Amino acid sequence: MTAPEGLLLVDKPSGITSHDVVDVVRRTLATRRVGHAGTLDPMATGLLLLGIGRATRLLRFLGDLPKTYEGTMRLGVETTTLDAEGETVRTAPVTATRDDVASAMRALEGGSLQAPPAFSAVKVGGRKLYEAARRGERLEAEARPILVDRFELLSFEPPDARFRVTCSGGTYVRVLAADVGTAVSSGGHLAELRRTAIGPFRVEEASPPEAVGSPLPLDTAIRHLPRLDLDPDEAAAASHGRPLGPAGIAGPYAVFGPDGVIGVYEDEGPRARPQVILAPS
């Protein structure tokens, strides 16, 4: 029996970790070769992309795709974790209007630097921030560049503001929620979050972890990359991981031969070099 491989779109429920989802899918598909392209916090729901079999080697090319979320921020309450799972550290009256909240969201659009929250898995000096935070220690992580393409207010029924945000991979939406709270002088935290899209992939196409079917074709994981089709001789060389002539394409691109996907290459000066070669299954 051929082992499954390809890309799975999973709708993660609240209350479990992304690794829990991987474990469920491993049992469901009876395979150990399962990985995910970016996590969701246990509180959050929505789209997870899982690679099965050889597709696990392609997951790194999904990390930079923009993510879209819908959620609720609760103004007037600040928490230790910046979301509903933390302890309350401050409360304040909510006097902001709908226009105030919408303006605060728009002000966060564009590129900026964002420091990871204290309760996150980012490591500093080999230590995870959340482990230090639980001990009452404060580690400072370097701020990272993020891009918020669009941050819009969907509804406002104080103290709750429903929103939709499209942002770069690695953006902490709970930090954005806390930033909005600070901007309107009441504080705030992320009360609920659902990831609805990752690049071209939509949560409406996803299945619960325990009800996944056959994975999508292997090359689905890199269909967003530019494509280069090779002739039979070039394909034979590429299948052995040999350098090729440059394609004149910026960034990684998917390489196909007459028999299908071979892997991912990237131009490096006068040569194109393999980033991933998919050995036959």
Side-chain angles (χ1 to χ4, degrees), residues 90-142:
R90 175 180 173 265
T91 62
V94 177
T95 59
T97 66
R98 179 187 177 94
D99 286 346
D100 293 333
V101 176
S103 178
M105 291 180 178
R106 287 194 300 271
L108 294 172
E109 292 178 342
S112 65
L113 294 176
Q114 184 188 72
F119 283 85
S120 67
V122 173
K123 290 184 178 181
V124 174
R127 300 178 63 197
K128 293 180 179 178
L129 292 184
Y130 73 82
E131 292 175 345
R134 287 172 180 170
R135 294 185 176 93
E137 302 175 36
R138 180 78 180 186
L139 296 179
E140 295 295 333
E142 185 176 354

Side-chain angles (χ1 to χ4, degrees), residues 103-213:
S103 178
M105 291 180 178
R106 287 194 300 271
L108 294 172
E109 292 178 342
S112 65
L113 294 176
Q114 184 188 72
F119 283 85
S120 67
V122 173
K123 290 184 178 181
V124 174
R127 300 178 63 197
K128 293 180 179 178
L129 292 184
Y130 73 82
E131 292 175 345
R134 287 172 180 170
R135 294 185 176 93
E137 302 175 36
R138 180 78 180 186
L139 296 179
E140 295 295 333
E142 185 176 354
R144 303 174 177 187
I146 65 167
L147 176 64
V148 178
D149 290 310
R150 189 172 184 183
F151 198 2
E152 58 182 321
L153 180 63
L154 301 179
S155 66
F156 184 45
E157 298 180 7
D160 291 344
R162 288 282 304 168
F163 66 87
R164 181 185 297 117
V165 61
T166 299
C167 53
S168 57
T171 302
Y172 286 92
V173 180
R174 51 194 162 116
V175 173
L176 297 180
D179 288 343
V180 171
T182 298
V184 299
S185 303
S186 65
H189 70 274
L190 183 65
E192 176 264 335
L193 187 68
R194 180 167 177 77
R195 187 155 65 196
T196 60
I198 300 175
F201 305 103
R202 300 292 180 264
V203 73
E204 292 83 5
E205 304 167 309
S207 302
E210 68 281 358
V212 294

Side-chain angles (χ1 to χ4, degrees), residues 5-278:
E5 68 173 11
L7 188 71
L8 276 180
L9 278 59
V10 178
D11 189 351
K12 175 193 163 310
S14 181
I16 64 173
T17 67
S18 299
H19 187 70
D20 292 334
V21 172
V22 169
D23 285 342
V24 171
V25 171
R26 282 173 173 163
R27 292 193 296 269
T28 301
L29 298 183
T31 180
R32 295 295 301 170
R33 295 186 67 188
V34 181
H36 60 70
T39 63
L40 281 172
D41 288 340
M43 181 191 81
T45 69
L47 185 59
L48 274 179
L49 300 181
L50 300 188
I52 313 298
R54 292 185 296 166
T56 58
R57 303 188 61 204
L58 302 173
L59 292 176
R60 62 188 176 105
F61 301 107
L62 296 167
D64 290 336
L65 289 175
K67 277 77 171 176
T68 299
Y69 301 87
E70 293 185 7
T72 301
M73 64 180 72
R74 181 155 297 156
L75 301 177
V77 180
E78 295 180 354
T79 72
T80 52
T81 59
L82 310 184
D83 62 23
E85 296 188 322
E87 299 177 1
T88 299
V89 294
R90 175 180 173 265
T91 62
V94 177
T95 59
T97 66
R98 179 187 177 94
D99 286 346
D100 293 333
V101 176
S103 178
M105 291 180 178
R106 287 194 300 271
L108 294 172
E109 292 178 342
S112 65
L113 294 176
Q114 184 188 72
F119 283 85
S120 67
V122 173
K123 290 184 178 181
V124 174
R127 300 178 63 197
K128 293 180 179 178
L129 292 184
Y130 73 82
E131 292 175 345
R134 287 172 180 170
R135 294 185 176 93
E137 302 175 36
R138 180 78 180 186
L139 296 179
E140 295 295 333
E142 185 176 354
R144 303 174 177 187
I146 65 167
L147 176 64
V148 178
D149 290 310
R150 189 172 184 183
F151 198 2
E152 58 182 321
L153 180 63
L154 301 179
S155 66
F156 184 45
E157 298 180 7
D160 291 344
R162 288 282 304 168
F163 66 87
R164 181 185 297 117
V165 61
T166 299
C167 53
S168 57
T171 302
Y172 286 92
V173 180
R174 51 194 162 116
V175 173
L176 297 180
D179 288 343
V180 171
T182 298
V184 299
S185 303
S186 65
H189 70 274
L190 183 65
E192 176 264 335
L193 187 68
R194 180 167 177 77
R195 187 155 65 196
T196 60
I198 300 175
F201 305 103
R202 300 292 180 264
V203 73
E204 292 83 5
E205 304 167 309
S207 302
E210 68 281 358
V212 294
S214 299
L216 298 171
L218 183 67
D219 63 346
T220 307
I222 50 175
R223 283 183 182 170
H224 61 286
L225 297 179
R227 172 171 174 153
L228 180 67
D229 289 288
L230 304 178
D231 63 34
D233 290 340
E234 293 171 326
S239 66
H240 290 91
R242 295 171 185 157
L244 301 174
I249 298 172
Y253 49 91
V255 170
F256 287 74
D259 297 324
V261 62
I262 296 172
V264 177
Y265 270 69
E266 188 166 359
D267 288 0
E268 296 180 6
R271 308 295 287 170
R273 301 193 181 277
Q275 305 301 302
V276 171
I277 296 297
L278 298 170

